[in-house]
Structure formats: structure tokens, C-alpha cells
PDB file of all heavy atoms in Angstrom:
ATOM      1  N   GLU C   7       0.568  -5.684 -11.028  1.00 90.00           N
ATOM      2  CA  GLU C   7       1.227  -5.136 -12.210  1.00 90.00           C
ATOM      3  C   GLU C   7       1.269  -3.609 -12.182  1.00 90.00           C
ATOM      4  O   GLU C   7       2.105  -2.995 -12.836  1.00 90.00           O
ATOM      5  CB  GLU C   7       0.499  -5.615 -13.468  1.00 90.00           C
ATOM      6  CG  GLU C   7       0.592  -7.123 -13.676  1.00 90.00           C
ATOM      7  CD  GLU C   7      -0.048  -7.564 -14.965  1.00 90.00           C
ATOM      8  OE1 GLU C   7      -0.537  -6.687 -15.722  1.00 90.00           O
ATOM      9  OE2 GLU C   7      -0.064  -8.786 -15.227  1.00 90.00           O
ATOM     10  N   ARG C   8       0.419  -3.006 -11.402  1.00 88.00           N
ATOM     11  CA  ARG C   8       0.376  -1.547 -11.333  1.00 88.00           C
ATOM     12  C   ARG C   8       1.597  -0.997 -10.616  1.00 88.00           C
ATOM     13  O   ARG C   8       2.107  -1.598  -9.665  1.00 88.00           O
ATOM     14  CB  ARG C   8      -0.902  -1.088 -10.636  1.00 88.00           C
ATOM     15  CG  ARG C   8      -2.156  -1.366 -11.456  1.00 88.00           C
ATOM     16  CD  ARG C   8      -3.383  -0.859 -10.771  1.00 88.00           C
ATOM     17  NE  ARG C   8      -3.348   0.575 -10.500  1.00 88.00           N
ATOM     18  CZ  ARG C   8      -4.400   1.269 -10.053  1.00 88.00           C
ATOM     19  NH1 ARG C   8      -5.549   0.647  -9.834  1.00 88.00           N
ATOM     20  NH2 ARG C   8      -4.300   2.556  -9.830  1.00 88.00           N
ATOM     21  N   ARG C   9       2.083   0.150 -11.077  1.00 88.00           N
ATOM     22  CA  ARG C   9       3.220   0.820 -10.459  1.00 88.00           C
ATOM     23  C   ARG C   9       2.865   2.236  -9.992  1.00 88.00           C
ATOM     24  O   ARG C   9       3.693   2.927  -9.418  1.00 88.00           O
ATOM     25  CB  ARG C   9       4.392   0.911 -11.460  1.00 88.00           C
ATOM     26  CG  ARG C   9       4.951  -0.438 -11.893  1.00 88.00           C
ATOM     27  CD  ARG C   9       5.635  -1.148 -10.737  1.00 88.00           C
ATOM     28  NE  ARG C   9       6.273  -2.399 -11.134  1.00 88.00           N
ATOM     29  CZ  ARG C   9       5.677  -3.563 -11.144  1.00 88.00           C
ATOM     30  NH1 ARG C   9       4.392  -3.659 -10.790  1.00 88.00           N
ATOM     31  NH2 ARG C   9       6.319  -4.673 -11.494  1.00 88.00           N
ATOM     32  N   ASP C  10       1.626   2.653 -10.244  1.00 90.00           N
ATOM     33  CA  ASP C  10       1.205   3.990  -9.856  1.00 90.00           C
ATOM     34  C   ASP C  10       0.640   3.956  -8.444  1.00 90.00           C
ATOM     35  O   ASP C  10       0.717   2.953  -7.738  1.00 90.00           O
ATOM     36  CB  ASP C  10       0.147   4.515 -10.837  1.00 90.00           C
ATOM     37  CG  ASP C  10      -1.061   3.582 -10.916  1.00 90.00           C
ATOM     38  OD1 ASP C  10      -0.922   2.389 -10.563  1.00 90.00           O
ATOM     39  OD2 ASP C  10      -2.149   4.036 -11.312  1.00 90.00           O
ATOM     40  N   ARG C  11       0.076   5.074  -7.999  1.00 92.00           N
ATOM     41  CA  ARG C  11      -0.590   5.098  -6.700  1.00 92.00           C
ATOM     42  C   ARG C  11      -1.906   4.339  -6.782  1.00 92.00           C
ATOM     43  O   ARG C  11      -2.650   4.453  -7.751  1.00 92.00           O
ATOM     44  CB  ARG C  11      -0.845   6.544  -6.262  1.00 92.00           C
ATOM     45  CG  ARG C  11       0.409   7.254  -5.786  1.00 92.00           C
ATOM     46  CD  ARG C  11       0.110   8.646  -5.257  1.00 92.00           C
ATOM     47  NE  ARG C  11       1.304   9.225  -4.669  1.00 92.00           N
ATOM     48  CZ  ARG C  11       1.673   9.074  -3.410  1.00 92.00           C
ATOM     49  NH1 ARG C  11       0.907   8.389  -2.573  1.00 92.00           N
ATOM     50  NH2 ARG C  11       2.781   9.611  -2.951  1.00 92.00           N
ATOM     51  N   VAL C  12      -2.171   3.584  -5.735  1.00 94.00           N
ATOM     52  CA  VAL C  12      -3.373   2.755  -5.693  1.00 94.00           C
ATOM     53  C   VAL C  12      -4.152   3.109  -4.433  1.00 94.00           C
ATOM     54  O   VAL C  12      -3.562   3.307  -3.362  1.00 94.00           O
ATOM     55  CB  VAL C  12      -2.994   1.258  -5.675  1.00 94.00           C
ATOM     56  CG1 VAL C  12      -4.225   0.387  -5.442  1.00 94.00           C
ATOM     57  CG2 VAL C  12      -2.299   0.869  -6.964  1.00 94.00           C
ATOM     58  N   ARG C  13      -5.473   3.196  -4.571  1.00 93.00           N
ATOM     59  CA  ARG C  13      -6.302   3.455  -3.404  1.00 93.00           C
ATOM     60  C   ARG C  13      -6.312   2.223  -2.513  1.00 93.00           C
ATOM     61  O   ARG C  13      -6.611   1.111  -2.936  1.00 93.00           O
ATOM     62  CB  ARG C  13      -7.740   3.782  -3.827  1.00 93.00           C
ATOM     63  CG  ARG C  13      -8.655   4.071  -2.638  1.00 93.00           C
ATOM     64  CD  ARG C  13     -10.123   3.936  -2.991  1.00 93.00           C
ATOM     65  NE  ARG C  13     -10.962   3.991  -1.795  1.00 93.00           N
ATOM     66  CZ  ARG C  13     -11.177   2.958  -0.967  1.00 93.00           C
ATOM     67  NH1 ARG C  13     -10.609   1.798  -1.206  1.00 93.00           N
ATOM     68  NH2 ARG C  13     -11.946   3.097   0.106  1.00 93.00           N
ATOM     69  N   THR C  14      -5.961   2.420  -1.240  1.00 95.00           N
ATOM     70  CA  THR C  14      -5.942   1.340  -0.260  1.00 95.00           C
ATOM     71  C   THR C  14      -6.670   1.815   0.991  1.00 95.00           C
ATOM     72  O   THR C  14      -6.968   3.005   1.137  1.00 95.00           O
ATOM     73  CB  THR C  14      -4.500   0.959   0.124  1.00 95.00           C
ATOM     74  OG1 THR C  14      -3.974   1.930   1.045  1.00 95.00           O
ATOM     75  CG2 THR C  14      -3.588   0.876  -1.095  1.00 95.00           C
ATOM     76  N   PRO C  15      -6.938   0.919   1.942  1.00 95.00           N
ATOM     77  CA  PRO C  15      -7.538   1.346   3.209  1.00 95.00           C
ATOM     78  C   PRO C  15      -6.661   2.328   3.976  1.00 95.00           C
ATOM     79  O   PRO C  15      -7.154   3.019   4.871  1.00 95.00           O
ATOM     80  CB  PRO C  15      -7.686   0.030   3.981  1.00 95.00           C
ATOM     81  CG  PRO C  15      -7.787  -1.013   2.925  1.00 95.00           C
ATOM     82  CD  PRO C  15      -6.886  -0.548   1.832  1.00 95.00           C
ATOM     83  N   ALA C  16      -5.375   2.414   3.612  1.00 95.00           N
ATOM     84  CA  ALA C  16      -4.468   3.353   4.267  1.00 95.00           C
ATOM     85  C   ALA C  16      -4.229   4.597   3.424  1.00 95.00           C
ATOM     86  O   ALA C  16      -3.299   5.366   3.687  1.00 95.00           O
ATOM     87  CB  ALA C  16      -3.128   2.678   4.562  1.00 95.00           C
ATOM     88  N   GLY C  17      -5.074   4.799   2.412  1.00 95.00           N
ATOM     89  CA  GLY C  17      -4.914   5.949   1.529  1.00 95.00           C
ATOM     90  C   GLY C  17      -4.293   5.550   0.204  1.00 95.00           C
ATOM     91  O   GLY C  17      -4.047   4.367  -0.063  1.00 95.00           O
ATOM     92  N   ALA C  18      -4.016   6.547  -0.646  1.00 95.00           N
ATOM     93  CA  ALA C  18      -3.396   6.282  -1.946  1.00 95.00           C
ATOM     94  C   ALA C  18      -1.902   6.051  -1.746  1.00 95.00           C
ATOM     95  O   ALA C  18      -1.182   6.930  -1.272  1.00 95.00           O
ATOM     96  CB  ALA C  18      -3.640   7.457  -2.887  1.00 95.00           C
ATOM     97  N   LEU C  19      -1.436   4.869  -2.106  1.00 95.00           N
ATOM     98  CA  LEU C  19      -0.041   4.501  -1.863  1.00 95.00           C
ATOM     99  C   LEU C  19       0.629   4.098  -3.168  1.00 95.00           C
ATOM    100  O   LEU C  19       0.019   3.426  -4.012  1.00 95.00           O
ATOM    101  CB  LEU C  19       0.035   3.330  -0.876  1.00 95.00           C
ATOM    102  CG  LEU C  19      -0.558   3.574   0.520  1.00 95.00           C
ATOM    103  CD1 LEU C  19      -0.500   2.290   1.339  1.00 95.00           C
ATOM    104  CD2 LEU C  19       0.183   4.692   1.233  1.00 95.00           C
ATOM    105  N   PRO C  20       1.913   4.470  -3.346  1.00 94.00           N
ATOM    106  CA  PRO C  20       2.643   4.078  -4.562  1.00 94.00           C
ATOM    107  C   PRO C  20       3.108   2.630  -4.478  1.00 94.00           C
ATOM    108  O   PRO C  20       3.359   2.099  -3.389  1.00 94.00           O
ATOM    109  CB  PRO C  20       3.840   5.035  -4.568  1.00 94.00           C
ATOM    110  CG  PRO C  20       4.088   5.328  -3.120  1.00 94.00           C
ATOM    111  CD  PRO C  20       2.734   5.326  -2.468  1.00 94.00           C
ATOM    112  N   LEU C  21       3.215   1.990  -5.644  1.00 94.00           N
ATOM    113  CA  LEU C  21       3.703   0.611  -5.715  1.00 94.00           C
ATOM    114  C   LEU C  21       4.842   0.509  -6.722  1.00 94.00           C
ATOM    115  O   LEU C  21       4.942  -0.447  -7.493  1.00 94.00           O
ATOM    116  CB  LEU C  21       2.566  -0.338  -6.107  1.00 94.00           C
ATOM    117  CG  LEU C  21       1.342  -0.385  -5.188  1.00 94.00           C
ATOM    118  CD1 LEU C  21       0.295  -1.340  -5.736  1.00 94.00           C
ATOM    119  CD2 LEU C  21       1.732  -0.800  -3.775  1.00 94.00           C
ATOM    120  N   ARG C  22       5.741   1.509  -6.714  1.00 93.00           N
ATOM    121  CA  ARG C  22       6.769   1.584  -7.745  1.00 93.00           C
ATOM    122  C   ARG C  22       7.816   0.492  -7.642  1.00 93.00           C
ATOM    123  O   ARG C  22       8.311  -0.003  -8.646  1.00 93.00           O
ATOM    124  CB  ARG C  22       7.468   2.953  -7.676  1.00 93.00           C
ATOM    125  CG  ARG C  22       6.564   4.133  -8.011  1.00 93.00           C
ATOM    126  CD  ARG C  22       7.188   5.433  -7.572  1.00 93.00           C
ATOM    127  NE  ARG C  22       7.393   5.450  -6.114  1.00 93.00           N
ATOM    128  CZ  ARG C  22       7.732   6.532  -5.421  1.00 93.00           C
ATOM    129  NH1 ARG C  22       7.918   7.678  -6.038  1.00 93.00           N
ATOM    130  NH2 ARG C  22       7.890   6.451  -4.109  1.00 93.00           N
ATOM    131  N   ASP C  23       8.183   0.118  -6.422  1.00 93.00           N
ATOM    132  CA  ASP C  23       9.266  -0.851  -6.251  1.00 93.00           C
ATOM    133  C   ASP C  23       9.018  -1.680  -4.990  1.00 93.00           C
ATOM    134  O   ASP C  23       7.997  -1.520  -4.306  1.00 93.00           O
ATOM    135  CB  ASP C  23      10.622  -0.132  -6.183  1.00 93.00           C
ATOM    136  CG  ASP C  23      10.641   0.973  -5.130  1.00 93.00           C
ATOM    137  OD1 ASP C  23       9.959   0.839  -4.086  1.00 93.00           O
ATOM    138  OD2 ASP C  23      11.339   1.994  -5.337  1.00 93.00           O
ATOM    139  N   ALA C  24       9.974  -2.564  -4.689  1.00 93.00           N
ATOM    140  CA  ALA C  24       9.815  -3.461  -3.542  1.00 93.00           C
ATOM    141  C   ALA C  24       9.694  -2.693  -2.235  1.00 93.00           C
ATOM    142  O   ALA C  24       8.948  -3.095  -1.333  1.00 93.00           O
ATOM    143  CB  ALA C  24      10.998  -4.432  -3.476  1.00 93.00           C
ATOM    144  N   GLY C  25      10.400  -1.572  -2.124  1.00 94.00           N
ATOM    145  CA  GLY C  25      10.316  -0.771  -0.911  1.00 94.00           C
ATOM    146  C   GLY C  25       8.935  -0.188  -0.711  1.00 94.00           C
ATOM    147  O   GLY C  25       8.400  -0.206   0.412  1.00 94.00           O
ATOM    148  N   ASP C  26       8.345   0.334  -1.783  1.00 94.00           N
ATOM    149  CA  ASP C  26       6.979   0.871  -1.708  1.00 94.00           C
ATOM    150  C   ASP C  26       5.993  -0.221  -1.286  1.00 94.00           C
ATOM    151  O   ASP C  26       5.102   0.003  -0.468  1.00 94.00           O
ATOM    152  CB  ASP C  26       6.551   1.418  -3.073  1.00 94.00           C
ATOM    153  CG  ASP C  26       7.132   2.799  -3.356  1.00 94.00           C
ATOM    154  OD1 ASP C  26       7.677   3.420  -2.423  1.00 94.00           O
ATOM    155  OD2 ASP C  26       7.038   3.247  -4.505  1.00 94.00           O
ATOM    156  N   ARG C  27       6.163  -1.394  -1.856  1.00 95.00           N
ATOM    157  CA  ARG C  27       5.214  -2.466  -1.596  1.00 95.00           C
ATOM    158  C   ARG C  27       5.320  -2.974  -0.159  1.00 95.00           C
ATOM    159  O   ARG C  27       4.310  -3.278   0.478  1.00 95.00           O
ATOM    160  CB  ARG C  27       5.430  -3.601  -2.603  1.00 95.00           C
ATOM    161  CG  ARG C  27       4.990  -3.172  -4.009  1.00 95.00           C
ATOM    162  CD  ARG C  27       5.580  -4.045  -5.108  1.00 95.00           C
ATOM    163  NE  ARG C  27       5.295  -3.415  -6.396  1.00 95.00           N
ATOM    164  CZ  ARG C  27       4.425  -3.892  -7.274  1.00 95.00           C
ATOM    165  NH1 ARG C  27       3.760  -4.997  -7.020  1.00 95.00           N
ATOM    166  NH2 ARG C  27       4.212  -3.259  -8.414  1.00 95.00           N
ATOM    167  N   ALA C  28       6.544  -3.046   0.351  1.00 94.00           N
ATOM    168  CA  ALA C  28       6.723  -3.445   1.746  1.00 94.00           C
ATOM    169  C   ALA C  28       6.097  -2.411   2.676  1.00 94.00           C
ATOM    170  O   ALA C  28       5.435  -2.765   3.667  1.00 94.00           O
ATOM    171  CB  ALA C  28       8.207  -3.611   2.053  1.00 94.00           C
ATOM    172  N   ALA C  29       6.300  -1.129   2.369  1.00 96.00           N
ATOM    173  CA  ALA C  29       5.710  -0.071   3.186  1.00 96.00           C
ATOM    174  C   ALA C  29       4.184  -0.116   3.112  1.00 96.00           C
ATOM    175  O   ALA C  29       3.493   0.105   4.118  1.00 96.00           O
ATOM    176  CB  ALA C  29       6.224   1.291   2.720  1.00 96.00           C
ATOM    177  N   ALA C  30       3.656  -0.413   1.922  1.00 96.00           N
ATOM    178  CA  ALA C  30       2.202  -0.500   1.760  1.00 96.00           C
ATOM    179  C   ALA C  30       1.637  -1.662   2.569  1.00 96.00           C
ATOM    180  O   ALA C  30       0.581  -1.531   3.198  1.00 96.00           O
ATOM    181  CB  ALA C  30       1.848  -0.658   0.287  1.00 96.00           C
ATOM    182  N   ARG C  31       2.326  -2.800   2.577  1.00 95.00           N
ATOM    183  CA  ARG C  31       1.852  -3.947   3.371  1.00 95.00           C
ATOM    184  C   ARG C  31       1.728  -3.572   4.840  1.00 95.00           C
ATOM    185  O   ARG C  31       0.738  -3.896   5.497  1.00 95.00           O
ATOM    186  CB  ARG C  31       2.810  -5.133   3.227  1.00 95.00           C
ATOM    187  CG  ARG C  31       2.711  -5.881   1.923  1.00 95.00           C
ATOM    188  CD  ARG C  31       3.303  -7.281   2.051  1.00 95.00           C
ATOM    189  NE  ARG C  31       4.650  -7.277   2.591  1.00 95.00           N
ATOM    190  CZ  ARG C  31       5.755  -7.147   1.869  1.00 95.00           C
ATOM    191  NH1 ARG C  31       5.660  -6.971   0.555  1.00 95.00           N
ATOM    192  NH2 ARG C  31       6.946  -7.189   2.436  1.00 95.00           N
ATOM    193  N   LYS C  32       2.741  -2.892   5.368  1.00 96.00           N
ATOM    194  CA  LYS C  32       2.717  -2.510   6.780  1.00 96.00           C
ATOM    195  C   LYS C  32       1.604  -1.510   7.050  1.00 96.00           C
ATOM    196  O   LYS C  32       0.864  -1.630   8.031  1.00 96.00           O
ATOM    197  CB  LYS C  32       4.069  -1.920   7.178  1.00 96.00           C
ATOM    198  CG  LYS C  32       5.196  -2.935   7.224  1.00 96.00           C
ATOM    199  CD  LYS C  32       6.501  -2.283   7.658  1.00 96.00           C
ATOM    200  CE  LYS C  32       7.630  -3.304   7.689  1.00 96.00           C
ATOM    201  NZ  LYS C  32       8.924  -2.684   8.070  1.00 96.00           N
ATOM    202  N   ALA C  33       1.482  -0.507   6.182  1.00 97.00           N
ATOM    203  CA  ALA C  33       0.485   0.539   6.399  1.00 97.00           C
ATOM    204  C   ALA C  33      -0.930  -0.022   6.321  1.00 97.00           C
ATOM    205  O   ALA C  33      -1.772   0.258   7.183  1.00 97.00           O
ATOM    206  CB  ALA C  33       0.673   1.657   5.370  1.00 97.00           C
ATOM    207  N   VAL C  34      -1.202  -0.815   5.311  1.00 97.00           N
ATOM    208  CA  VAL C  34      -2.541  -1.380   5.145  1.00 97.00           C
ATOM    209  C   VAL C  34      -2.827  -2.386   6.259  1.00 97.00           C
ATOM    210  O   VAL C  34      -3.932  -2.419   6.812  1.00 97.00           O
ATOM    211  CB  VAL C  34      -2.694  -2.042   3.765  1.00 97.00           C
ATOM    212  CG1 VAL C  34      -4.054  -2.732   3.650  1.00 97.00           C
ATOM    213  CG2 VAL C  34      -2.533  -0.998   2.659  1.00 97.00           C
ATOM    214  N   GLY C  35      -1.830  -3.189   6.612  1.00 96.00           N
ATOM    215  CA  GLY C  35      -2.013  -4.164   7.683  1.00 96.00           C
ATOM    216  C   GLY C  35      -2.395  -3.508   8.993  1.00 96.00           C
ATOM    217  O   GLY C  35      -3.278  -3.993   9.708  1.00 96.00           O
ATOM    218  N   ARG C  36      -1.730  -2.392   9.315  1.00 96.00           N
ATOM    219  CA  ARG C  36      -2.056  -1.686  10.565  1.00 96.00           C
ATOM    220  C   ARG C  36      -3.491  -1.191  10.554  1.00 96.00           C
ATOM    221  O   ARG C  36      -4.194  -1.266  11.567  1.00 96.00           O
ATOM    222  CB  ARG C  36      -1.091  -0.507  10.762  1.00 96.00           C
ATOM    223  CG  ARG C  36       0.293  -0.908  11.243  1.00 96.00           C
ATOM    224  CD  ARG C  36       1.058   0.283  11.746  1.00 96.00           C
ATOM    225  NE  ARG C  36       1.314   1.259  10.686  1.00 96.00           N
ATOM    226  CZ  ARG C  36       2.408   1.287   9.938  1.00 96.00           C
ATOM    227  NH1 ARG C  36       3.367   0.389  10.133  1.00 96.00           N
ATOM    228  NH2 ARG C  36       2.571   2.202   9.006  1.00 96.00           N
ATOM    229  N   VAL C  37      -3.943  -0.674   9.424  1.00 96.00           N
ATOM    230  CA  VAL C  37      -5.319  -0.175   9.335  1.00 96.00           C
ATOM    231  C   VAL C  37      -6.313  -1.319   9.464  1.00 96.00           C
ATOM    232  O   VAL C  37      -7.304  -1.231  10.205  1.00 96.00           O
ATOM    233  CB  VAL C  37      -5.534   0.579   8.002  1.00 96.00           C
ATOM    234  CG1 VAL C  37      -7.012   0.895   7.799  1.00 96.00           C
ATOM    235  CG2 VAL C  37      -4.718   1.868   7.979  1.00 96.00           C
ATOM    236  N   LEU C  38      -6.075  -2.416   8.758  1.00 95.00           N
ATOM    237  CA  LEU C  38      -7.007  -3.540   8.791  1.00 95.00           C
ATOM    238  C   LEU C  38      -7.145  -4.109  10.199  1.00 95.00           C
ATOM    239  O   LEU C  38      -8.242  -4.514  10.607  1.00 95.00           O
ATOM    240  CB  LEU C  38      -6.555  -4.635   7.823  1.00 95.00           C
ATOM    241  CG  LEU C  38      -6.589  -4.288   6.332  1.00 95.00           C
ATOM    242  CD1 LEU C  38      -6.120  -5.477   5.499  1.00 95.00           C
ATOM    243  CD2 LEU C  38      -7.974  -3.847   5.889  1.00 95.00           C
ATOM    244  N   GLU C  39      -6.054  -4.134  10.947  1.00 93.00           N
ATOM    245  CA  GLU C  39      -6.106  -4.678  12.302  1.00 93.00           C
ATOM    246  C   GLU C  39      -6.952  -3.826  13.243  1.00 93.00           C
ATOM    247  O   GLU C  39      -7.415  -4.318  14.273  1.00 93.00           O
ATOM    248  CB  GLU C  39      -4.690  -4.822  12.858  1.00 93.00           C
ATOM    249  CG  GLU C  39      -3.918  -5.974  12.230  1.00 93.00           C
ATOM    250  CD  GLU C  39      -2.505  -6.088  12.763  1.00 93.00           C
ATOM    251  OE1 GLU C  39      -2.047  -5.123  13.421  1.00 93.00           O
ATOM    252  OE2 GLU C  39      -1.862  -7.119  12.535  1.00 93.00           O
ATOM    253  N   GLU C  40      -7.138  -2.550  12.901  1.00 93.00           N
ATOM    254  CA  GLU C  40      -7.920  -1.656  13.756  1.00 93.00           C
ATOM    255  C   GLU C  40      -9.409  -1.680  13.427  1.00 93.00           C
ATOM    256  O   GLU C  40     -10.227  -1.213  14.210  1.00 93.00           O
ATOM    257  CB  GLU C  40      -7.394  -0.220  13.633  1.00 93.00           C
ATOM    258  CG  GLU C  40      -5.989  -0.024  14.199  1.00 93.00           C
ATOM    259  CD  GLU C  40      -5.917  -0.423  15.670  1.00 93.00           C
ATOM    260  OE1 GLU C  40      -6.840  -0.054  16.435  1.00 93.00           O
ATOM    261  OE2 GLU C  40      -4.953  -1.102  16.057  1.00 93.00           O
ATOM    262  N   LEU C  41      -9.774  -2.215  12.261  1.00 93.00           N
ATOM    263  CA  LEU C  41     -11.177  -2.239  11.838  1.00 93.00           C
ATOM    264  C   LEU C  41     -11.894  -3.442  12.439  1.00 93.00           C
ATOM    265  O   LEU C  41     -11.270  -4.426  12.833  1.00 93.00           O
ATOM    266  CB  LEU C  41     -11.256  -2.310  10.309  1.00 93.00           C
ATOM    267  CG  LEU C  41     -10.647  -1.137   9.529  1.00 93.00           C
ATOM    268  CD1 LEU C  41     -10.674  -1.440   8.035  1.00 93.00           C
ATOM    269  CD2 LEU C  41     -11.385   0.165   9.834  1.00 93.00           C
TER     270      LEU C  41
END
């Protein structure tokens, strides 16, 4: 439900729209795969 920046393993990322969320999935996924 949040639309602001959210702290993630890939840093603070915006979740304003579908594009932001898709970008966040990729960014966080890449970080998680390296841990």
C-alpha cells in the first residue's frame, strides 16, 4: 500500500507506480542473489 520510498536490501526505493515496483523487484532480486 505504500507509495513512498521504502528501505530495501538495494537501498531506499520508490514504489509510486508499476514501473517503480518492477525496477525494485529487479534491483532487490539482484542483491539477494549475491548474499
